Amino acid sequence: MNDTTLWALVLVIGIATFLIRYSFIYLVGRTGDLPPRLERALAFVPPAVFAALVVPEFVSYDGVLHVAPDQLGAGIAAALVAWYTENMFATILAGMLALWTLRFLV
């Protein structure tokens, strides 16, 4: 694959991604409101994305839990703050503070 083909592929994929995202924004703007069932489903997107970013740090590809004690403690602290406050910023802040504190102590 030469450079021109690679850049053309990147450009086409970028345009396709933009159009998919823009179509959703356009349709919602045109209709004015989302169906209640879709709104309920979209409420689960942020926690699912956050879990998809965090869980691979605790579980390796072979399905065995490989985690350092400081990471596990920080993950538990973040999970408790997320459950109690339901605030994403507070969750990240608590997890990072717990991680730094545990790394300093351990």
Side-chain angles (χ1 to χ4, degrees):
M1 180 179 301
N2 60 21
D3 288 345
T4 306
T5 306
L6 181 63
W7 281 107
L9 185 63
V10 168
L11 184 65
V12 168
I13 292 172
I15 290 170
T17 301
F18 172 78
L19 290 175
I20 290 169
R21 293 172 188 223
Y22 181 74
S23 67
F24 185 74
I25 294 169
Y26 174 75
L27 290 174
V28 170
R30 191 169 180 198
T31 61
D33 201 13
L34 292 174
R37 188 171 180 178
L38 184 59
E39 279 190 34
R40 284 193 306 271
L42 288 175
F44 293 102
V45 170
V49 169
F50 190 64
L53 292 172
V54 171
V55 169
E57 288 297 319
F58 292 104
V59 181
S60 71
Y61 294 112
D62 59 357
V64 179
L65 187 66
H66 295 289
V67 65
D70 55 350
Q71 290 177 332
L72 185 59
I76 291 170
L80 290 173
V81 170
W83 178 68
Y84 183 72
T85 66
E86 296 182 4
N87 183 333
M88 188 70 69
F89 182 71
T91 301
I92 294 170
L93 183 66
M96 289 306 299
L97 287 174
L99 181 66
W100 291 335
T101 303
L102 289 170
R103 283 196 175 163
F104 178 74
L105 295 175
V106 174

